[in-house]
Amino acid sequence: MLLTEDLEEQLRDFTAVSGEQRMPSLSEQLQEVRSRAEVCLYSGGRVVEVRAGVMAMANLPLPPCSKYRHIAAETMVIENSFGSNRKETLASLQRLSTALNILEKYGCNLTNPNRPKYWRTVKHNNPVFRATVDAIQ
């Protein structure tokens, strides 16, 4: 069962102390999804399950400061959305998106128990890393 299906089932079964069914708050949903994704990650779960948990967290309608513990997501977006017109601003946000996608791929490869031998570390002098990830603020 995928992480998101399991979470949906658990949310349906969530009951309050009074015995009445109620939907958990967004914060409770976030904590549950985060906990499951962390367990999956630490127990060597499949990449697709970890990614499903991350996507479930990202799709919750909460501000970035609530979702991200270790990065200042709002600040990152603000500092990397520059330009003198809409086209330039969208291009700068696209560069941020590309950098974050690369970091996600690095994270998936580095945490994969069956990773290739060359995925033991991130080489910061790698031209792709320098041009994309180092370029963001």
Side-chain angles (χ1 to χ4, degrees):
M1 184 180 295
L2 286 175
L3 183 69
T4 53
E5 292 171 352
D6 192 28
L7 178 64
E8 287 173 4
E9 181 180 319
Q10 190 172 41
L11 292 176
R12 281 192 301 272
D13 297 338
F14 189 88
T15 57
V17 175
S18 66
E20 295 178 24
Q21 285 192 333
R22 71 168 180 90
M23 281 299 291
S25 70
L26 289 174
S27 295
E28 290 169 329
Q29 290 178 45
L30 175 63
Q31 187 54 44
E32 181 63 29
V33 173
R34 178 180 282 143
S35 295
R36 289 182 172 277
E38 287 173 350
V39 166
C40 188
L41 180 64
Y42 295 135
S43 66
R46 296 180 310 164
V47 171
V48 68
E49 291 173 338
V50 175
R51 183 170 287 146
V54 171
M55 290 305 299
M57 283 186 280
N59 289 328
L60 285 171
L62 288 167
C65 63
S66 297
K67 295 179 189 182
Y68 301 99
R69 288 183 175 172
H70 303 289
I71 61 171
E74 290 174 350
T75 303
M76 191 182 304
V77 170
I78 291 167
E79 289 180 357
N80 288 282
S81 58
F82 49 85
S84 58
N85 58 46
R86 179 177 166 80
K87 185 176 179 181
E88 289 176 4
T89 302
L90 289 175
S92 67
L93 289 172
Q94 182 59 49
R95 285 190 294 275
L96 174 62
S97 176
T98 300
L100 294 173
N101 284 332
I102 289 171
L103 286 175
E104 177 192 10
K105 289 176 185 169
Y106 281 0
C108 287
N109 285 323
L110 290 170
T111 58
N112 184 348
N114 301 319
R115 67 182 175 265
K117 187 166 49 170
Y118 57 88
W119 272 106
R120 289 179 293 217
T121 62
V122 174
K123 294 184 172 91
H124 298 279
N125 61 351
N126 175 307
V128 172
F129 186 91
R130 291 183 68 112
T132 55
V133 178
D134 273 352
I136 64 170
Q137 311 235 348

